Amino acid sequence: AATAPGKKITARLKRTLPVRGPQAPTLSELMRWYCLNTNTHGCRRIVVSRGRLRRLLWILLTLSAVGLILWQCAELLMNYYSASVSVTVQFQKLPFPAVTICNINPYKYSAMKEYLSELDKETKKALETFYGFSEGKSKVRRSVDDWNSTGSDFFQQIPLLKVEDFSRTATELHSGQKRKIEGSVFHKDSSIVNSGDSNDIIGFQLCDANNSSECALYTFSSGVNAIQEWYKLHYMNIMAQIPLETKEKLSYSAEDLLLTCFFDGLSCDKRHFTRFHHPLHGNCYTFNSGESGAVLSTSTGGSEYGLQVVLYIDEADYNPFLVTSTGAKIIVHDQNEYPFIEDIGTEIETAAATSIGMHFTRSRKLSKPYSDCTETGADIPVENLYNKSYSLQICLHSCFQKAMVDSCGCAQYAQPLPAGAEYCNYKKNPNWMYCYYRLHEKFVKEQLGCQQICKDACSFKEWALTTSIAQWPSTVSEDWMLRVLSWDKGQKLNKKLNKTDLANLMVFYKDLNERFISENPANTLVILLSNFGGQLGLWMSCSVVCVIEIVEVFLIDSLSIVMRRQWQRAKKWWSQRGGSGRASDVERQGHDNPACVDEDLPTFTTALRLPLPQDSPLPRTPPPTYSTLRLETAFTEQLPDTLELGPH
Amino acid sequence: EGLIEFYGSFKEMFEFFCKNTTIHGTIRLVCSGSNRMKTAFWTLLLLASFGMLYWQFALMFSQFWAYPVVLTMSMHSEPKMFPAVTVCNLDPYRFELAREQLEQLERMAEESLAFLYGPHASARSSPLGDSSSPLGDSSSHLGDSSSHLGDSSSHLQGQANLSSSSFSLSHNFSLVRTWHLGAGKNHSRVGFRLCNSTGGNCFYNSYSSGMDALLEWFRFHYMNIMAQLPEATNVSQHQEHVRDMVYSCQYDGEPCRPSDYVHFHHPVFGSCYTFNSKGTDPFWTATKPGIPYGLSLILRAEQKEHIPLLATVAGVKVMIHSHNQTPFLEHEGFDIRPGIATTIGIQQDQVNRLGGNYGKCTTDGADVAVELLYNNSYTLQACLHSCFQHAMLQHCGCGYYYYPLPAGARYCDYNRQPAWGHCFYQLYSRLRNHRLDCFQQCPKPCR
């Protein structure tokens, strides 16, 4: 009596909640059941596919899909952990950049006397003639006569002209001769600045030596610019003839330029500087060039820990016509970069302390196909004339130099020499100046194609500079400081230093944050495929498996059915024909007889041996619980309907 | 079972496809076709969604092949608080209490100058001219110099005793010239000798340039003199100097109020004023960009109390910084020379570090092992300075004058700790070479 209620309850439980074993008695059956019922479609295709090869292919496809999933997921994970932090990276220690320092005056004027005395004499004479500010103001006409008698080379080569009101006549300033201007007129100064009084226009004319009617007139609204440009032309001619070793000797030595040096709290000297000869700026000195050992680095920001140098700028030894400002030029650059002082140098002045604070930014662009930049410059069809790493600037200069050598036959003085070429001078290439100006004109107007060939570098380092200036030495400390520095300068200097001969320079990191700007592709392959997956799922509730399935059913299988139909029709037609004309065709047997061949066709026979479709419906994914879906019953009746869908 | 089994007819194929396809819903309805109308409708729907699919595919492909890139950056232009601005006149005081010692030190410097560079004349007539022959060895010079300064020390000693405090300048740290036989040429260096307390371990703190050596030598003595000043001397008695330095101050067209600045004295940069240091006053809200709406100051950079060997530049030191941040002028300050008008445009960049797994950073400094000695918000420099000061106290037993002191500690001076210079310079080079773990202990601030 006591057990009866318990049994009742268990019986009831068994009835209401039937306990079932596994879905299939054996392991293979269970697998089959799983494959048929799972939502992982590839699995189902393995089971339902007909034919061993088909099944094998589906197994392979499913397995490779699993592999792909693993790979792509790993990539997504890696993206998640890496890309998100690449904007700013901090370092405890930052490499100090190379700092190149040049005196604005390239060569000691006193040493250059030998080469430039002739030119300077004539420039002075020209100034006398044009502006009459010399000692003997009244003797203008006579000096002109002197000139003609000495037969000045420089004015004969390129005479300075005064252009009269665009009337296409010009007066040769030193001789007073009028001449007609042919060819085109180029205004080097913008006409907006022009005073309007066009009588003041001074310029010079460059002619094609081979064809004297081909001329170009270069005018300047200000006589200062005209004379400087004119001087520079002759100066480059002269300098081009002096060998490099001599030029290095004519320029400043490290002892001349550097009075004191202090880096990262420690004393340094000229051994920390590397000489670098720049064609326009003479000897420049690069601190931390990396050529003599490891690149220095700083671990603390602030002026105390940067480079501090006192420079000696001998103002009295300046070339009066070539440079009109006093001081030094500095540039902060990477050790592998070429210092383009003439383009992007910062000028520092004398009798002042210039502090230059730096912010370091490193940028990285994605190369092709994301943007048009080059990693190493190796893919650019311009030879790199500088033995430094590629930059857009280097490419443009090299490209221009190459064009110069090709069309003018000699190389421009301000840029390095290509192999086998030499610098222009008008003894050897009388035509080069005209050629150079025309070429430069073309280059600026982007007609040389250099701007199209040269591409940006993909990765570059940049130091943003903040410059501030204080008065140095202060009036009260001037006295002792000049004393100490004069002694340091050494015994060979007899005079006491003047504060306008000195410049104090500090270069330091403002903070040790490295800004790293990098590009990441917005669309990777993974994202593309994921988007596909989303779209396929959204619109078709389907995956790659179902795309393959569609290809299998609608392309391969449909084709095979059509082919078989055609074959059967052809066979039928043949047999009918054969039935009527059997007697005549007796001898056509064996390999010639198409009827024989088809007997052995594997596809056909296997097709004939197909097992009939099973009576009971195949097990499959449990249909969604839409009430509209009543497939089992609908199918057997409605198959002819669906059949109509297919071929049409 | 064959290798590949083909279907006998379309009927069979469709039956198989409809039964086994993995495209759900729609295709099943097409396959079912219990109702022609429905079938047609679903067929249309299916085709439409196929169409949509391929259209979207085309869009995605075109987007993919355009290879776009992403760079995240955001711009904010809402009104902000004007930053704090600190200006210093580069003219450190001669504190009344130390005036005598400073003068004495300057006399000592003058003597060293005369000894090294000859009496006040050109470099030619240096008395060292003959003794500094190329072979002059450094030890004999040492002897020379000590005896030379020994003479002068006797009368200086007398004067030091006259001063009110018990402090006296030490003559153990005299500047000497040492010669090194370099490659073919003699290099001379100027420096001073530092020894540990037993005198067994000594080194020269020397520089190739006499200017640097003299400045460092002066700074070392200056720290010793200043260290004995009571901490509370200072600012209050110099409060009236505001009018002397800031001639005119305007912000956004309105004159500044006396409550707008905080004054402090920096041992090297002199008298400093921080404008808008708290950043809470609505007066300092930046409403419009442009020169007339900013802060304009007329400053006087006079050098009346100038200490010629401490500061060699004249002008004004300026730093623009966040509110509640101690300005470290030696790191981020910039100079303005006298006699010119300077316009400074500012632009704020904010860097947020993620912290956590992405990199070490601290939000407010509370989790940093170093006790901060500056009672302002956390900055890396503040942490490094505090860390160094703690190391100083631990190793040398006294504090470095330029950094603030923790409670109960004293600044170093060589009357009490004769060997602190030796200890300090060694510790300082260890900091610079990352052998002191201050850089590990101090993370960057997260924002």
Side-chain angles (χ1 to χ4, degrees):
Chain A
T3 52
K7 269 183 186 171
K8 231 178 185 175
I9 289 167
T10 41
R12 194 162 175 178
L13 267 174
K14 265 184 187 168
R15 208 165 50 242
T16 47
L17 298 168
V19 179
R20 289 195 187 139
Q23 295 291 338
T26 65
L27 204 60
S28 62
E29 284 290 298
L30 180 71
M31 284 299 116
R32 189 179 159 76
W33 175 86
Y34 166 77
C35 285
L36 285 168
N37 287 287
T38 180
N39 267 326
T40 317
H41 307 308
C43 228
R44 180 181 164 79
R45 299 301 300 187
I46 296 173
V47 178
V48 298
S49 287
R50 296 180 187 174
R52 282 200 308 269
L53 184 64
R54 239 185 238 266
R55 196 170 292 160
L56 187 73
L57 280 175
W58 273 110
I59 289 172
L60 284 179
L61 273 172
T62 313
L63 285 180
S64 53
V66 170
L68 279 171
I69 288 168
L70 289 178
W71 170 55
Q72 304 246 311
C73 284
E75 201 136 292
L76 278 173
L77 269 175
M78 264 155 32
N79 252 5
Y80 177 76
Y81 280 109
S82 68
S84 49
V85 285
S86 63
V87 179
T88 48
V89 188
Q90 335 122 5
F91 276 86
Q92 296 288 16
K93 227 170 177 174
L94 269 187
F96 201 76
V99 179
T100 298
I101 305 168
C102 311
N103 198 329
I104 287 187
N105 185 44
Y107 302 100
K108 290 176 188 166
Y109 193 54
S110 50
M112 289 296 291
K113 274 269 183 301
E114 182 190 337
Y115 304 96
L116 294 178
S117 56
E118 196 72 3
L119 176 61
D120 288 345
K121 215 163 51 194
E122 299 208 3
T123 316
K124 270 181 205 147
K125 272 186 196 163
L127 285 172
E128 266 173 46
T129 326
F130 305 157
Y131 300 102
F133 61 67
S134 74
E135 308 88 341
K137 275 177 197 164
S138 54
K139 308 280 193 268
V140 174
R141 267 272 32 116
R142 228 194 63 201
S143 69
V144 168
D145 294 339
D146 287 350
W147 233 332
N148 292 338
S149 60
T150 52
S152 82
D153 264 358
F154 299 107
F155 280 93
Q156 228 108 82
Q157 289 271 359
I158 313 158
L160 273 171
L161 304 169
K162 185 188 262 181
V163 182
E164 276 155 12
D165 199 24
F166 298 103
S167 60
R168 298 210 149 264
T169 55
T171 319
E172 253 178 67
L173 276 169
H174 71 283
S175 61
Q177 288 169 1
K178 292 238 174 193
R179 63 156 76 185
K180 190 111 181 91
I181 300 163
E182 289 129 15
S184 40
V185 178
F186 296 99
H187 300 287
K188 293 294 259 188
D189 285 352
S190 95
S191 51
I192 304 159
V193 192
N194 211 326
S195 56
D197 184 8
S198 40
N199 279 337
D200 282 325
I201 294 175
I202 290 182
F204 49 83
Q205 196 176 25
L206 292 173
C207 288
D208 192 342
N210 310 320
N211 177 9
S212 56
S213 62
E214 231 2 72
C215 278
L217 179 75
Y218 294 89
T219 61
F220 302 85
S221 62
S222 151
V224 172
N225 294 348
I227 286 172
Q228 268 196 298
E229 188 80 358
W230 179 85
Y231 186 89
K232 225 181 216 168
L233 267 181
H234 291 292
Y235 174 79
M236 288 205 295
N237 270 316
I238 295 167
M239 292 315 289
Q241 298 167 44
I242 303 174
L244 181 66
E245 299 80 58
T246 322
K247 281 195 285 188
E248 279 182 353
K249 277 197 202 93
L250 290 173
S251 190
Y252 300 92
S253 68
E255 287 98 337
D256 287 337
L257 187 68
L258 302 158
L259 277 182
T260 74
C261 168
F262 207 66
F263 178 73
D264 202 11
L266 295 172
S267 206
C268 52
D269 57 36
K270 66 172 185 349
R271 283 166 294 180
H272 294 87
F273 288 83
T274 323
R275 183 165 62 195
F276 150 76
H277 189 86
H278 189 277
L280 294 181
H281 285 87
N283 282 352
C284 295
Y285 292 89
T286 307
F287 176 75
N288 192 23
S289 66
E291 272 170 37
S292 54
V295 172
L296 299 166
S297 58
T298 44
S299 52
T300 327
S303 54
E304 218 182 312
Y305 302 96
L307 174 72
Q308 295 181 38
V309 285
V310 174
L311 305 174
Y312 175 63
I313 311 285
D314 192 4
E315 207 185 342
D317 221 4
Y318 265 43
N319 186 329
F321 305 110
L322 191 66
V323 284
T324 48
S325 50
T326 319
K329 241 180 170 184
I330 79 142
I331 183 168
V332 172
H333 58 102
D334 187 56
Q335 277 78 14
N336 295 322
E337 242 171 73
Y338 183 84
F340 284 99
I341 303 188
E342 70 274 31
D343 297 343
I344 44 173
T346 309
E347 291 186 346
I348 63 169
E349 58 181 301
T350 54
T354 310
S355 349
I356 298 181
M358 304 183 288
H359 274 295
F360 182 40
T361 307
R362 205 153 56 89
S363 309
R364 213 183 138 62
K365 285 209 282 188
L366 289 172
S367 59
K368 276 202 179 301
Y370 296 97
S371 66
D372 198 17
C373 69
T374 171
E375 294 281 356
T376 57
D379 51 334
I380 305 275
V382 177
E383 188 201 348
N384 187 344
L385 298 178
Y386 302 80
N387 56 359
K388 295 280 183 180
S389 65
Y390 177 87
S391 73
L392 179 64
Q393 200 83 326
I394 280 182
C395 177
L396 287 176
H397 282 292
S398 304
C399 176
F400 179 78
Q401 187 72 301
K402 200 169 150 263
M404 179 91 186
V405 172
D406 287 347
S407 58
C408 307
C410 58
Q412 207 250 330
Y413 178 66
Q415 285 136 26
L417 278 176
E422 60 176 13
Y423 287 128
C424 295
N425 69 69
Y426 48 40
K427 287 214 180 91
K428 280 192 188 142
N429 321 81
N431 199 23
W432 81 267
M433 276 182 278
Y434 177 73
C435 178
Y436 166 71
Y437 270 90
R438 292 320 284 265
L439 207 66
H440 195 257
E441 188 82 27
K442 265 193 189 167
F443 177 74
V444 172
K445 287 183 181 161
E446 302 193 6
Q447 286 166 350
L448 273 186
C450 287
Q451 282 87 345
Q452 285 78 44
I453 297 171
C454 291
K455 295 176 195 163
D456 272 320
C458 285
S459 55
F460 49 92
K461 294 173 177 176
E462 190 188 21
W463 283 270
L465 307 182
T466 321
T467 310
S468 69
I469 300 172
Q471 188 188 323
W472 176 91
S474 61
T475 0
V476 272
S477 61
E478 191 182 327
D479 182 50
W480 75 266
M481 204 165 233
L482 292 178
R483 244 171 97 195
V484 173
L485 288 174
S486 304
W487 203 93
D488 277 351
K489 183 75 186 130
Q491 277 78 11
K492 65 176 176 181
L493 197 76
N494 264 324
K495 58 170 186 175
K496 195 173 174 228
L497 290 178
N498 195 345
K499 75 171 172 183
T500 50
D501 288 332
L502 301 172
N504 190 343
L505 169 70
M506 280 172 269
V507 183
F508 55 91
Y509 273 116
K510 278 192 123 177
D511 54 34
L512 290 183
N513 284 342
E514 175 184 339
R515 260 150 226 250
F516 179 39
I517 299 175
S518 74
E519 287 184 340
N520 288 321
N523 273 345
T524 56
L525 195 66
V526 179
I527 291 172
L528 181 78
L529 292 178
S530 309
N531 283 344
F532 279 162
Q535 292 292 329
L536 276 168
L538 179 65
W539 301 110
M540 304 284 297
S541 66
C542 148
S543 63
V544 173
V545 171
C546 94
V547 171
I548 299 169
E549 193 186 283
I550 289 169
V551 170
E552 186 192 17
V553 170
F554 287 94
L555 280 178
I556 302 172
D557 286 349
S558 304
L559 202 71
S560 75
I561 289 171
V562 171
M563 294 269 283
R564 192 177 299 130
R565 284 261 169 89
Q566 293 296 323
W567 178 249
Q568 274 172 337
R569 200 171 296 157
K571 207 181 134 197
K572 212 177 197 175
W573 173 80
W574 182 255
S575 60
Q576 275 171 4
R577 211 180 145 240
S580 59
R582 182 166 295 194
S584 57
D585 273 340
V586 180
E587 62 272 31
R588 287 190 61 183
Q589 274 177 353
H591 291 295
D592 292 339
N593 192 350
C596 277
V597 183
D598 95 290
E599 298 279 323
D600 292 334
L601 261 182
T603 46
F604 190 58
T605 43
T606 42
L608 282 183
R609 278 186 223 124
L610 272 175
L612 283 168
Q614 281 170 269
D615 282 341
S616 58
L618 273 172
R620 79 189 72 139
T621 352
T625 50
Y626 314 135
S627 53
T628 42
L629 281 179
R630 295 181 63 225
L631 288 174
E632 274 115 304
T633 48
F635 242 101
T636 36
E637 297 165 12
Q638 299 296 330
L639 267 177
D641 287 353
T642 20
L643 194 63
E644 283 177 3
L645 262 174
H648 301 299
Chain B
E1 198 177 14
L3 209 56
I4 291 183
E5 298 186 3
F6 282 102
Y7 306 100
S9 65
F10 279 113
K11 180 186 164 184
E12 200 185 333
M13 190 185 90
F14 273 100
E15 187 187 330
F16 179 83
F17 178 73
C18 286
K19 270 183 189 164
N20 292 304
T21 183
T22 51
I23 308 174
H24 308 296
T26 29
I27 198 80
R28 286 202 174 164
L29 287 162
V30 176
C31 287
S32 70
S34 56
N35 172 332
R36 292 246 171 136
M37 191 66 195
K38 221 181 201 170
T39 311
F41 173 71
W42 277 111
T43 314
L44 280 177
L45 211 66
L46 178 69
L47 291 176
S49 69
F50 254 115
M52 287 288 281
L53 183 70
Y54 287 114
W55 175 58
Q56 296 272 330
F57 272 14
L59 283 185
M60 275 191 286
F61 266 115
S62 69
Q63 209 182 64
F64 183 75
W65 280 322
Y67 296 107
V69 294
V70 187
L71 187 70
T72 332
M73 207 178 246
S74 57
M75 293 265 270
H76 305 276
S77 51
E78 71 266 19
K80 300 209 98 170
M81 233 29 209
F82 198 75
V85 178
T86 301
V87 289
C88 298
N89 65 357
L90 297 175
D91 183 21
Y93 305 150
R94 284 168 183 271
F95 284 104
E96 212 43 61
L97 279 170
R99 183 175 289 273
E100 215 156 311
Q101 275 106 350
L102 279 177
E103 277 165 11
Q104 211 178 316
L105 179 60
E106 273 163 8
R107 273 197 298 278
M108 233 166 95
E110 185 53 45
E111 274 167 35
S112 296
L113 266 173
F115 166 63
L116 289 169
Y117 299 102
H120 196 101
S122 75
R124 288 308 301 160
S125 57
S126 156
L128 279 184
D130 44 0
S131 64
S132 63
S133 57
L135 285 177
D137 81 11
S138 61
S139 64
S140 81
H141 268 280
L142 264 178
D144 277 2
S145 64
S146 56
S147 69
H148 178 96
L149 281 178
D151 298 340
S152 61
S153 68
S154 56
H155 75 264
L156 284 179
Q157 202 69 48
Q159 280 183 341
N161 289 339
L162 288 177
S163 90
S164 54
S165 78
S166 59
F167 179 81
S168 66
L169 280 173
S170 167
H171 295 278
N172 297 330
F173 306 98
S174 48
L175 275 173
V176 288
R177 184 181 299 279
T178 52
W179 293 87
H180 300 267
L181 284 168
K185 219 177 189 181
N186 282 328
H187 299 279
S188 76
R189 288 170 79 91
V190 181
F192 53 100
R193 202 161 84 125
L194 293 159
C195 290
N196 67 358
S197 49
T198 59
N201 185 0
C202 292
F203 66 89
Y204 273 97
N205 191 27
S206 69
Y207 303 87
S208 60
S209 151
M211 187 186 81
D212 295 327
L214 205 62
L215 283 173
E216 188 59 47
W217 175 84
F218 191 89
R219 206 171 80 101
F220 177 66
H221 281 288
Y222 179 72
M223 283 193 283
N224 285 297
I225 293 174
M226 299 306 280
Q228 39 124 15
L229 289 181
E231 271 183 78
T233 345
N234 49 56
V235 191
S236 54
Q237 40 180 302
H238 287 272
Q239 199 71 298
E240 70 273 14
H241 287 302
V242 162
R243 288 264 148 253
D244 284 352
M245 184 180 165
V246 183
Y247 277 10
S248 135
C249 170
Q250 273 198 329
Y251 178 72
D252 203 358
E254 287 176 47
C256 309
R257 299 154 304 169
S259 58
D260 287 332
Y261 58 79
V262 177
H263 174 255
F264 65 94
H265 181 253
H266 190 281
V268 176
F269 301 120
S271 190
C272 299
Y273 295 94
T274 302
F275 293 88
N276 190 24
S277 68
K278 288 279 168 280
T280 47
D281 194 337
F283 177 75
W284 291 93
T285 319
T287 45
K288 278 169 279 187
I291 296 169
Y293 310 110
L295 174 70
S296 73
L297 296 165
I298 299 178
L299 301 170
R300 174 181 169 136
E302 203 202 15
Q303 312 227 308
K304 57 179 179 198
E305 293 183 292
H306 205 70
I307 304 171
L309 280 131
L310 197 61
T312 55
V313 293
V316 176
K317 195 108 186 159
V318 182
M319 181 169 165
I320 295 162
H321 53 101
S322 313
H323 309 116
N324 290 323
Q325 184 192 327
T326 313
F328 291 100
L329 292 140
E330 61 272 37
H331 290 283
E332 290 184 60
F334 53 90
D335 298 319
I336 292 176
R337 62 151 78 176
I340 55 164
T342 307
T343 329
I344 300 162
I346 54 172
Q347 177 187 329
Q348 190 184 26
D349 268 1
Q350 187 175 333
V351 176
N352 288 343
R353 295 191 175 85
L354 283 172
N357 293 329
Y358 297 102
K360 215 170 119 195
C361 76
T362 176
T363 41
D364 54 357
D367 51 342
V368 177
V370 181
E371 184 207 337
L372 280 194
L373 301 176
Y374 298 86
N375 52 1
N376 269 332
S377 57
Y378 179 89
T379 55
L380 177 63
Q381 289 304 339
C383 178
L384 285 178
H385 286 192
S386 306
C387 174
F388 181 74
Q389 188 71 299
H390 286 299
M392 208 39 210
L393 286 167
Q394 194 190 331
H395 290 93
C396 310
C398 55
Y400 178 48
Y401 177 67
Y402 287 158
Y403 297 163
L405 274 183
R410 292 200 61 140
Y411 285 125
C412 295
D413 78 68
Y414 47 49
N415 282 12
R416 270 192 292 270
Q417 286 96 2
W420 82 269
H422 180 263
C423 175
F424 164 73
Y425 283 107
Q426 280 193 336
L427 204 64
Y428 207 63
S429 79
R430 270 175 65 195
L431 173 79
R432 210 164 37 225
N433 300 332
H434 285 239
R435 275 183 288 144
L436 217 57
D437 57 355
C438 283
F439 285 100
Q440 282 75 50
Q441 285 182 24
C442 290
K444 304 218 168 193
C446 288
R447 59 181 61 221

